[in-house]
Amino acid sequence: LLSITADERKEKGYKDWKEQAIAKSKDPVATKKRIDDFQKAGQLKGTAVIFFFATAAIYYSSQNPYVPPRLLQEVVTTTQFVF
């Protein structure tokens, strides 16, 4: 189905789906505005999700640092405690 619509778009000379939607619309200005607003909202949501998970990953790694078991064993056995 997607390849059929892509072929139709190419046959009629449209560059992409946005151009096709705007050309077929009864109100091209409003359609362009709706598409732009939709894409901007999607971009902002995507950026927010990425920021949230990146922040969560950084926080988690700061609270639970990875220490390789071999390195941990060397630190424990070579550390001298002075009382």
Side-chain angles (χ1 to χ4, degrees), residues 1-57:
L1 183 64
L2 291 176
S3 63
I4 294 170
T5 57
D7 292 339
E8 177 188 336
R9 208 174 14 255
K10 288 178 184 177
E11 287 174 7
K12 294 191 178 186
Y14 297 119
K15 183 173 59 173
D16 57 5
W17 66 270
K18 293 183 283 187
E19 188 177 295
Q20 183 180 13
I22 292 168
K24 289 184 174 184
S25 174
K26 292 181 181 178
D27 188 0
V29 175
T31 301
K32 182 174 179 358
K33 184 176 180 343
R34 277 195 310 274
I35 289 172
D36 291 343
D37 291 346
F38 177 77
Q39 286 184 317
K40 183 172 278 196
Q43 184 179 18
L44 289 174
K45 288 177 188 177
T47 303
V49 167
I50 291 170
F51 179 77
F52 173 78
F53 282 111
T55 304

